[in-house]
Amino acid sequence: MSSGQTLVMAEHDGTQLAASVYRSITAAQQFGQHVSVLVIGAGITQVAREAAMINGVQRVLQVDAVTLQHPSAEQISHIVLQMANAYEVLLAAHSSWSKNFLPRVAALLDVGMVSDVLHIIVPRTYQRSVYAGNLLSTVQSQDEQQVLTVHASKFKLASLSQTSAVIERLTVTGSPVPVRWISQTLNQSPRPPLASAKVVVSGGRALGSAERFEAVLAPLANQLQAAIGASRAAVDAGYAPNDLQVGQTGVVVAPALYIAVGISGAIQHTYGMKDSQVIVAINQDPEAPIFQMADYGLVGDLFSVIPALTAALSQANIN
């Protein structure tokens, strides 16, 4: 294994990089090494070009094949392993995508994996949260190769460069694992993606039903051009689909504005939104834990407050 090399694995949707990739590149630069970005998929030339324009990236590795239109965790792991020995650090943003394959890579390399890193104190020494963020732990890895995921919202967005990094197209052998993609079902929405939205309106169990969840929150979200999120309690009650869950076991968000409607503020939920720049809490219970972390709090009946707020915003837009 050669030293002085860091490989960032890039998540994308086939046309553009996830915003978390820009933040993971910022994290990668803290190792003070040559940074390469790995982009895997089919017809991903534009994605590779985008990665090549990010400051701090010296090289982009483009693995482009028809068989990688919908790459499985087994395929991605196999590709990463073929080039892993050239890198001292293998890094990705912490997401369901990276959690699906990177532990496999670490296991096959016979090294430990450090997940959801909040801060890179010095190379090989990291800060992580435990107990849903109630405690912080310092972890030091003695492995020769470092495999880690980073809590993207804790790192700044890398800027764009005026010059492009080198793009290398690589050919790799197919995955030896007989796994194939069959189909997928996507929820189509005119609203921005939850993970990257600048404004998020989230609802809790206090909304009472799936019908009221949509009827109360949708008009406000539309006025603010916001994404809609949900607490785990609301998802478990069937008010919202799983992909809207914000929290430790859901989506981690860090918008400019987060509005928590009828959410008590359980640790599991606040872990996923505590990095928001401004937090507004609306709850009928003045003792709700969410008020302890809110920048602005309003004690009141959400079924009166939210329609009134939506109407005020609509009137302001008209004027």
Side-chain angles (χ1 to χ4, degrees):
M1 181 192 72
S2 64
S3 61
Q5 302 277 331
T6 296
L7 181 64
V8 175
M9 284 139 285
E11 184 175 359
H12 61 87
D13 62 4
T15 57
Q16 64 181 10
L17 295 170
S20 60
V21 176
Y22 288 78
R23 298 180 184 274
S24 61
I25 288 171
T26 297
Q29 292 179 64
Q30 295 187 24
F31 287 92
Q33 301 178 343
H34 184 288
V35 176
S36 296
V37 176
L38 174 62
V39 183
I40 298 172
I44 52 170
T45 298
Q46 185 56 42
V47 180
R49 288 174 179 169
E50 181 186 352
M53 295 303 298
I54 301 175
N55 261 323
V57 175
Q58 281 77 45
R59 182 173 58 163
V60 174
L61 307 178
Q62 179 182 348
V63 182
D64 199 326
V66 175
T67 55
L68 296 173
Q69 181 70 46
H70 301 282
S72 66
E74 290 80 4
Q75 286 176 303
I76 298 174
S77 301
H78 183 68
I79 292 169
V80 173
L81 284 168
Q82 290 184 61
M83 57 187 70
N85 284 339
Y87 296 93
E88 182 181 342
V89 181
L90 303 176
L91 182 151
H94 190 74
S95 68
S96 58
W97 177 76
S98 62
K99 288 188 290 185
N100 198 25
F101 74 88
L102 207 50
R104 302 168 189 258
V105 172
L108 292 168
L109 290 173
D110 195 25
V111 299
M113 177 178 166
V114 185
S115 64
D116 208 12
V117 169
L118 302 179
H119 299 288
I120 300 169
I121 300 172
V122 295
R124 302 192 181 206
T125 303
Y126 314 102
Q127 186 182 80
R128 299 180 64 248
S129 65
V130 292
Y131 298 110
N134 273 356
L135 294 175
L136 297 177
S137 65
T138 299
V139 178
Q140 188 175 68
S141 172
Q142 299 298 328
D143 289 318
E144 187 179 359
Q145 271 185 298
Q146 302 288 291
V147 180
L148 65 148
T149 58
V150 297
H151 196 94
S153 62
K154 288 292 187 180
F155 298 88
K156 293 182 179 180
L157 284 166
S159 60
L160 294 176
S161 173
Q162 297 297 317
T163 58
S164 175
V166 174
I167 299 177
E168 296 182 18
R169 293 193 60 141
L170 303 179
T171 301
V172 296
T173 60
S175 170
V177 182
V179 174
R180 64 187 179 92
W181 179 86
I182 296 176
S183 66
Q184 68 181 8
T185 301
L186 299 175
N187 290 328
Q188 300 296 330
S189 172
R191 300 189 182 100
L194 178 59
S196 58
K198 295 181 179 179
V199 180
V200 174
V201 177
S202 278
R205 186 166 48 189
L207 282 151
S209 69
E211 292 74 22
R212 284 192 284 185
F213 187 95
E214 177 68 19
V216 173
L217 298 187
L220 177 59
N222 293 340
Q223 283 292 330
L224 296 172
Q225 297 182 344
I228 288 183
S231 68
R232 179 174 178 174
V235 171
D236 288 347
Y239 302 166
N242 288 332
D243 58 341
L244 295 188
Q245 181 179 322
V246 174
Q248 186 179 22
T249 55
V251 180
V252 175
V253 300
L257 172 62
Y258 188 88
I259 302 176
V261 180
I263 295 175
S264 63
I267 294 173
Q268 197 276 345
H269 180 77
T270 57
Y271 179 86
M273 45 68 75
K274 62 184 179 181
D275 292 329
S276 304
Q277 294 178 32
V278 176
I279 298 173
V280 175
I282 300 169
N283 200 295
Q284 198 163 3
D285 179 8
E287 303 299 322
I290 191 69
F291 287 123
Q292 297 177 14
M293 65 184 314
D295 298 287
Y296 301 94
L298 176 59
V299 177
D301 180 4
L302 68 88
F303 295 107
S304 299
V305 171
I306 299 303
L309 176 59
T310 304
L313 287 170
S314 177
Q315 186 64 31
N317 288 337
I318 292 174
N319 293 336

